[in-house]
Amino acid sequence: MKQVAIITGASRGIGAAIAQRLAKDGFAVVVNYAGNVAEADKVVGAVRADGGTAIAVQADVASAADVRALFERTIAELGRVDVLVNNAGIMPPNLPQLAATDDDIFDRLVAVNLKGSFNTMREAAAKLEQGGRIINFSSSLVGTLLPGYSAYVATKAGVEAMTSILAKELRGKNITVNAVAPGPTATALFLDGKTPELIERLAKMTPLERLGQPDDIASAVSFLAGPDGSWINGQTLRANGGMV
Ligand code: NDP
């Protein structure tokens, strides 16, 4: 039986690249999505065309009931869960500074990025196989602390803290818990609402002078999910070309 990886938010962007990479690595993959069934089906189709195993499962990670159902369906259809990649996240374009941030934006960021990661980690802690891996998603903005990102960064700093604590709490289960913290990466989440000049300026913040690509981040996740990553535990790996 193949090992099974759930990738949340895998219909587009970084998550879609991770699903395709982990399928190439030999995992059966669960392509979770919130609303974009057509894009999720495309990712499943690409994996299957390559000879891999994939299913698409809708679930809003902000809902504990949806996340429970996501794990239950995975086990019913694929038999087990070995890897959780907690990639689903939101960053609405043109975030205002803290003083102008309204309750709706703050609450939505917390619900999806922080509670969503909590919901999936809680389920994974109970259901992952021995030798399992949990890979959360932070952001290198936790290091740069740029103005305008206070609420978003607060959710990601919370994810980093839960990563290290859960790693300790899973003592004895042979399950590692780490986080990947990308820098600016060419997806809708980063590109939407920015001028070409701003995108260029942010890309140049890294000594490698380019934006990250979804495959750059998928490579880091593949390392943490695979045999070579087995001694890394409770860490946040910044994948950002050296920006911070
Ligand atoms: P995208 O906006 O490109 O894709 C987001 C994905 O998450 C989509 O598949 C979307 O599904 C899914 N999603 C959104 N909300 C939910 C939800 N409530 N429940 C389930 N799935 C959901 O984002 P990226 O690929 O850029 O981001 C991936 C992760 O990387 C995020 O956690 C983000 O914070 C982090 N990150 C990204 C950076 C960047 O520069 N791009 C930098 C640092 C961190 P659907 O298609 O159905 O809407």
Side-chain angles (χ1 to χ4, degrees):
M1 186 188 275
K2 277 187 177 182
Q3 289 201 319
V4 176
I6 295 176
I7 301 101
T8 65
S11 44
R12 297 180 283 120
I14 293 169
I18 295 168
Q20 292 180 63
R21 174 60 193 263
L22 292 187
K24 280 200 174 72
D25 291 349
F27 290 95
V29 295
V30 177
V31 175
N32 160 253
Y33 64 98
N36 225 321
V37 64
E39 293 294 308
D41 284 344
K42 259 196 243 164
V43 176
V44 167
V47 169
R48 290 183 181 162
D50 228 22
T53 306
I55 58 171
V57 180
Q58 192 280 335
D60 177 355
V61 295
S63 155
D66 277 17
V67 168
R68 215 170 300 126
L70 167 67
F71 276 73
E72 280 165 5
R73 206 176 131 199
T74 300
I75 291 167
E77 291 198 26
L78 299 172
R80 55 194 284 155
V81 190
D82 297 278
V83 173
L84 164 68
V85 184
N86 235 330
N87 161 83
I90 55 167
M91 187 182 81
N94 305 312
L95 281 171
Q97 297 207 346
L98 188 150
T101 299
D102 65 34
D103 291 342
D104 283 351
I105 288 185
F106 185 88
D107 291 348
R108 190 74 197 134
L109 282 165
V110 169
V112 176
N113 296 358
L114 187 60
K115 179 78 183 333
S117 296
F118 164 78
N119 285 335
T120 48
M121 273 192 267
R122 182 170 57 183
E123 215 56 41
K127 298 209 165 85
L128 245 57
E129 299 287 330
Q130 281 270 339
R133 307 281 167 84
I134 297 173
I135 299 156
N136 293 320
F137 263 71
S138 178
S139 162
S140 289
L141 283 163
V142 172
T144 53
L145 297 173
L146 291 177
Y149 293 97
S150 56
Y152 176 76
V153 167
T155 67
K156 295 300 192 179
V159 168
E160 289 192 15
M162 286 195 288
T163 297
S164 303
I165 291 173
L166 184 61
K168 292 174 183 156
E169 291 179 351
L170 291 180
R171 171 184 290 274
K173 288 198 165 181
N174 194 21
I175 294 172
T176 64
V177 190
N178 293 292
V180 172
T185 308
T187 70
L189 177 143
F190 170 76
L191 298 168
D192 284 359
K194 293 191 177 73
T195 61
E197 294 73 34
L198 180 57
I199 291 167
E200 182 66 10
R201 191 154 59 76
L202 292 169
K204 286 277 157 56
M205 280 175 73
T206 109
L208 299 185
E209 298 191 308
R210 66 170 176 84
L211 289 182
Q213 295 298 321
D215 283 345
D216 293 320
I217 309 305
S219 297
V221 171
S222 166
F223 164 66
L224 291 172
D228 287 346
S230 63
W231 192 233
I232 315 295
N233 192 19
Q235 307 300 314
T236 296
L237 173 59
R238 288 184 178 158
N240 61 27
M243 184 181 65
V244 62

